[in-house]
Amino acid sequence: MIVIGANVLNPFFAITRIPEALGDGLGALGLGAYGTLSVILLAYVVLGMFMDGLSMLVVTIPIVFPVILSLGFDPIWFGVVAVIVIEMGTITPPVGLNVFVVRGVAGDVPLTTVFRGVMPFLIAMIVGLLLIIAIPGIALVLPNSMFG
């Protein structure tokens, strides 16, 4: 159903030129490439609190991808960054969906305990994300070795 919905939504985006308008709006903010990237990643974290990863990717990539390309970022690098940020969103309070899955499996553990247990992983993901943003080659070593 998600893929069918995205297939209906993508032609709508093409006709209404929403990705171009979003790109122009982000460019008008004057944040620069990394500022715009930060806004996009923050949006992914917020969406991740309420949606699952596949839904976010299928719905948002047609909007965000042209903006990322226009900023000069590597598309493979952005794919790695997007997956990390989406997973960060799925464990972020208040509604992190993966946390509720863990809560369902460990039924006798309070939800606050599960959220506290997730925090070290969230911090590790943030540190890893900052490293990948600062040194893009980290995320591109394996893809470059395949095509190099």
Side-chain angles (χ1 to χ4, degrees):
M1 292 305 291
I2 293 169
V3 173
I4 292 170
N7 284 333
V8 171
L9 193 61
N10 290 339
F12 170 76
F13 286 151
I15 292 169
T16 59
R17 297 183 175 263
I18 289 175
E20 290 91 6
L22 178 64
D24 294 342
L26 285 172
L29 292 175
L31 299 173
Y34 286 99
T36 304
L37 178 68
S38 298
V39 169
I40 291 169
L41 297 182
L42 183 64
Y44 271 123
V45 170
V46 171
L47 284 173
M49 293 179 193
F50 306 104
M51 295 174 69
D52 68 296
L54 178 64
S55 306
M56 279 191 297
L57 280 176
V58 170
V59 171
T60 61
I61 289 297
I63 298 170
V64 173
F65 193 68
V67 175
I68 291 299
L69 290 180
S70 70
L71 293 172
F73 291 115
D74 185 276
I76 295 173
W77 172 83
F78 179 70
V80 172
V81 169
V83 168
I84 292 170
V85 172
I86 287 169
E87 290 306 315
M88 283 173 52
T90 60
I91 63 170
T92 303
V95 187
L97 295 176
N98 286 355
V99 174
F100 284 98
V101 171
V102 170
R103 171 66 169 88
V105 172
D108 58 337
V109 179
L111 193 57
T112 55
T113 304
V114 176
F115 272 116
R116 272 196 310 265
V118 164
M119 284 305 136
F121 295 102
L122 185 60
I123 292 168
M125 290 174 86
I126 291 169
V127 169
L129 179 67
L130 292 174
L131 282 172
I132 289 173
I133 290 173
I135 309 167
I138 294 171
L140 298 174
V141 168
L142 187 59
N144 287 342
S145 69
M146 291 172 49
F147 300 115

